[in-house]
Amino acid sequence: MRTDLTISNEKIDECALLKARVLTAGMGAAVYFAGAVRGTEKGRGIEAIDYEAFKSMAEHQFGLIFKQVEKRWPVESVRLAHRVGRVEVGEVSIWVEVVAPHRGEAFEACQFIIAEMKRVVPIWKKPIPVL
């Protein structure tokens, strides 16, 4: 399984990521998840979220998650980008792409990655309230 992981303070360019996707023979599904800052956190208005990561540990944990994906599903590739630093409302903070033979496998693997990331990856968020 091919993997591509980026943890950066650079904006996530969804269009560039979509253009770079390659479905090889036998791969019939590409699932994408783009998570954006939505403007509320726990019922209160926010203008942004500041993300902070322990980058080397986050990379290690993502590697472990990717190994679990490889064991459970016939996934050809996973690409994940996560922003750190200040992310404004409406901007993408995380992008996950999973390519697999069938949509069910791709959706399941993508959901697993998101759930495990929230559970074990050392990335913290601090909502910035609307003043």
Side-chain angles (χ1 to χ4, degrees), residues 21-97:
R21 187 240 339 123
V22 175
L23 283 175
T24 61
M27 296 297 120
V31 169
Y32 310 96
F33 171 79
V37 175
R38 69 181 160 262
T40 59
E41 183 75 17
K42 297 181 181 173
R44 297 189 177 174
I46 63 169
E47 62 183 51
I49 293 179
D50 280 333
Y51 287 94
E52 185 178 340
F54 181 178
K55 191 173 179 181
S56 62
M57 181 57 82
E59 291 169 340
H60 174 76
Q61 290 299 119
F62 276 123
L64 295 175
I65 292 168
F66 296 160
K67 285 179 183 176
Q68 291 177 62
V69 167
E70 187 172 33
K71 287 179 183 176
R72 292 178 68 176
W73 295 280
V75 168
E76 179 179 67
S77 65
V78 172
R79 186 167 27 174
L80 190 146
H82 201 301
R83 287 267 309 268
V84 291
R86 188 179 181 104
V87 183
E88 303 291 330
V89 169
E91 292 182 335
V92 173
S93 58
I94 185 168
W95 171 273
V96 181
E97 172 188 307

Side-chain angles (χ1 to χ4, degrees), residues 2-22:
R2 290 189 325 272
T3 60
D4 180 17
L5 172 64
T6 304
I7 300 171
S8 170
N9 61 359
E10 299 294 321
K11 286 187 176 184
I12 295 172
D13 184 347
E14 305 106 293
C15 291
L17 290 166
L18 281 169
K19 286 180 181 178
R21 187 240 339 123
V22 175

